[in-house]
Every structure is written in structure tokens, then in C-alpha cells.
Amino acid sequence: MKPISVEAIYFSPTGTSKTGAAAIARAIDPAAKEIDVTVAGTVPERTSFPKDSLVVFGAPVYGGRLYRGAVERFQQFVGHKTPCIVTVTYGNRDFDDALLELKDLVEALGFVPVAAAALVGQHTYGSIQVGRPEAADVAQDEAFALQVKAALEKGSLEAVEVPGNYPYREGGSGGRFRPLTSDACTRCGLCARECPEQAIDPVDPSQIDGEKCISCFRCIRRCPAGAKNMDTEEYRSFAEAFTQKLAQRKENQYFLPRARILAKHKEEPYEVPVLQRCGYESD
Ligand SMILES: Cc1cc2nc3c(=O)[nH]c(=O)nc-3n(C[C@H](O)[C@H](O)[C@H](O)COP(=O)(O)O)c2cc1C
Ligand code: SF4
Ligand code: SF4
């Protein structure tokens, strides 16, 4: 089957999940469209996908799970036995049950997950895998996408299996840090418009609703004046220790039915046994 349309649908506060999902979608069809559901209340151009289209879902891992708000946003989409690729992006710790949760979610929505990927992105906190996904990661995503495309065209793909456990581990909520705002703020309003949970007061952007904020750090990354920050002693010492703990680089993992394709960073792609779990840490 050659899909008549390809769409990347993602929730991606700091843009790493977007990069992976969009790269995979574009490698399959350079005209692929993007549906960004990061900001709550965004009305997507389309919500229903026919059997002969293809969707690439992308979301970050929060506490080893999908963020609950991402689950809610994805629930507005409907497939009709529509093939899809599920991707989660995690900050070099572990993806735990998030990929399984995304696979189960889209199946319940009428999609058929024919391939999956657990991708590494720069962690929201500290300085962990800064700059990832980098060009080499995107090249791996594209190579994987071309394999999925070839298998789809042969009509040879069934539902994929991914690692994860039942019941899913506890997780899926936001973090505990609430960004601060310095005097450099020009009140441009960008952070308030772009906050996934509308936690920032558009009139006085220094005011953040601590109940709504999920510590995604989108406002810090996007503020053109560098005014949003997390410059507290508590955060600095957490970030330093966390960065040290997660210093060991992890690689992207790609899953197709019956085979896992893992492209190692150093050039040569190779095949390894199906569904080997990656390292598990408690944080
Ligand atoms: C609240 C929260 C929880 C997170 N939990 C995990 C985790 O369990 N494992 C992990 O490796 N990374 C974790 N991360 C890091 C993100 O998964 C990672 O930075 C991802 O690339 C962010 O995706 P985005 O750029 O699409 O927003 C967490 C980040 C946040 C904000
Ligand atoms: S994006 Fe930065 S400068 Fe603009 S309102 Fe927000 S904090 Fe102020
Ligand atoms: S206020 Fe909180 S939820 Fe909103 S963008 Fe900033 S960190 Fe994310």
C-alpha cells in the first residue's frame, strides 16, 4: 500500500518529539503534513484518517508514561484500521511503559501501529544529551522510515510489539519546577500563547499558575528575551546531580514486526534480537 497522505501528529513542548515524528513522516512522503497538538485547545485541521493514509504519532516520556494531557489530545483522533507509526522521545533515562501506552492508545482509537520507535532527545532538565536529536539521529529516523515505507508498499506489515509492562508504572504527570521571570521580560506574550496548559497570565506573564504548570520548560526555551528561567539554588543542584547520573549516552531503538532495527550511532546499522529491554533506573 502506498499511503495517499501522511501526517505527523505530535505533542512536543520542547520540540524533540516533533523532530522525530516529522522526520519519519517526511522521509515517507516529503509532502507530509504536521498536526501540532501541544497547546491545549488547538483545533486540528483533521481528526479522522482513512485506511489508506498513514499517521506518525509523537510524544515525550513523562515519568515513564505518556503525559496525561497528551493522551487527552490524541483521543480526538480516529482511525479506520489506519496504519500508524508510534514514537516516544525520552531524555536518556528510560521510556519504561510509554511506548506500550501509546501503542495501546492508538489501537483503541482505530489505528494499526505497524512500527514504533523510542527516540532519545535532550532532557528537559539539566544538560543531558544537549542538542539531541542531532543530525545522526534524524538520519537513523529516516532510514527506519524508508524500511517502514518499503514494508508498507509490499503490504507485509502487521501490528508491532513493543516493550513495556502491565500495569503501566505510575507516571504521566508534570514536574515540580515552576519557572521564574526576570526583569528582561518585554511582555511580548509569546510564552502565554505557547504554554501547553495556559498556565501563564497573558497580561502579566510573570504570573504562573502553579496548579496548571507541568514544568515542561517550553517557556524557558522559547522566551526571546531569555527572561523565563529556573535560576534557583534548588534547581541548580538537582540539575547538576541529574546530569551526572544520566551522562551515559543511550541510543534510539526502532521496532518493526518480527525485527528490531537498531542503528548505532557509529555508522553501521545492525540487527539485534527483538524487544530487548533497555536499562532501567528508578528516577
Ligand atoms: C515532567 C517530565 C518527566 C520526564 N520524565 C522522563 C522519564 O521518565 N524518562 C526520560 O528519559 N525522560 C523524561 N523526561 C524528559 C523528556 O522525555 C525529554 O526531554 C523529551 O525529549 C521531551 O520531549 P519534547 O521535546 O517533545 O517536549 C521528562 C521530562 C519532563 C518535563
Ligand atoms: S516570552 Fe519572555 S519576554 Fe515574552 S512575555 Fe514571556 S517571559 Fe516575557
Ligand atoms: S508555564 Fe509551565 S507549563 Fe507553561 S510553558 Fe512554562 S513550564 Fe510549561
Side-chain angles (χ1 to χ4, degrees):
M1 174 206 110
K2 192 166 187 255
I4 54 160
S5 68
V6 179
E7 245 107 357
I9 301 179
Y10 51 79
F11 171 86
S12 185
T14 60
T16 60
S17 310
K18 167 191 159 103
T19 300
I24 290 168
R26 272 198 311 271
I28 294 173
D29 177 1
K33 289 193 174 162
E34 295 182 27
I35 299 179
D36 183 348
V37 293
T38 307
V39 177
T42 309
V43 180
E45 219 174 274
R46 64 187 294 202
T47 53
S48 181
F49 297 88
K51 192 177 177 179
D52 49 3
S53 58
L54 175 74
V55 173
V56 185
F57 286 96
V61 175
Y62 277 15
R65 294 279 303 274
L66 292 182
Y67 165 55
R68 280 180 219 119
V71 172
E72 281 166 21
R73 289 156 175 75
F74 287 160
Q75 275 168 337
Q76 66 193 303
F77 298 105
V78 182
H80 303 273
K81 296 195 177 144
T82 313
C84 75
I85 302 172
V86 285
T87 69
V88 294
T89 301
Y90 70 106
N92 205 49
R93 185 191 66 77
D94 201 333
F95 57 97
D96 298 306
D97 302 328
L99 192 59
L100 180 63
E101 186 180 10
L102 182 56
K103 176 192 173 267
D104 291 345
L105 172 68
V106 300
E107 272 178 336
L109 297 172
F111 295 87
V112 181
V114 296
L119 308 173
V120 179
Q122 176 173 344
H123 203 292
T124 313
Y125 309 136
S127 304
I128 299 158
Q129 297 299 302
V130 175
R132 290 187 79 187
E134 55 203 17
D137 293 306
V138 171
Q140 292 177 6
D141 295 344
E142 290 168 348
F144 162 69
L146 293 180
Q147 295 198 45
V148 178
K149 184 181 181 187
L152 272 176
E153 284 175 0
K154 271 198 220 150
S156 63
L157 279 182
E158 297 153 15
V160 70
E161 281 182 53
V162 300
N165 295 299
Y166 297 114
Y168 307 140
R169 62 173 269 164
E170 289 288 312
S173 49
R176 66 181 194 273
F177 304 109
R178 299 294 175 263
L180 309 172
T181 311
S182 78
D183 292 345
C185 174
T186 61
R187 300 205 170 197
C188 70
L190 179 99
C191 58
R193 285 194 300 280
E194 292 281 310
C195 171
E197 295 301 344
Q198 286 147 7
I200 302 176
D201 185 339
V203 179
D204 178 1
S206 68
Q207 298 300 312
I208 291 181
D209 183 332
E211 294 292 310
K212 290 185 179 171
C213 175
I214 57 168
S215 306
C216 70
F217 283 19
R218 183 174 171 93
C219 53
I220 296 178
R221 300 273 176 89
R222 293 210 169 187
C223 173
K228 282 267 183 277
N229 67 84
M230 204 56 246
D231 293 339
T232 66
E233 195 41 55
E234 188 214 350
Y235 176 74
R236 268 194 298 275
S237 60
F238 161 80
E240 201 176 305
F242 200 48
T243 301
Q244 274 183 24
K245 187 174 175 187
L246 298 184
Q248 183 72 40
R249 177 190 174 98
K250 291 191 173 158
E251 299 299 341
N252 303 318
Q253 297 179 59
Y254 300 95
F255 303 91
L256 280 167
R258 288 188 289 275
R260 185 178 79 161
I261 297 97
L262 187 151
K264 267 228 151 185
H265 189 57
K266 294 214 174 84
E267 257 78 79
E268 306 134 38
Y270 66 95
E271 290 203 356
V272 297
V274 186
L275 303 187
Q276 191 183 311
R277 291 284 286 132
C278 62
Y280 191 99
E281 294 168 50
S282 57
D283 257 347

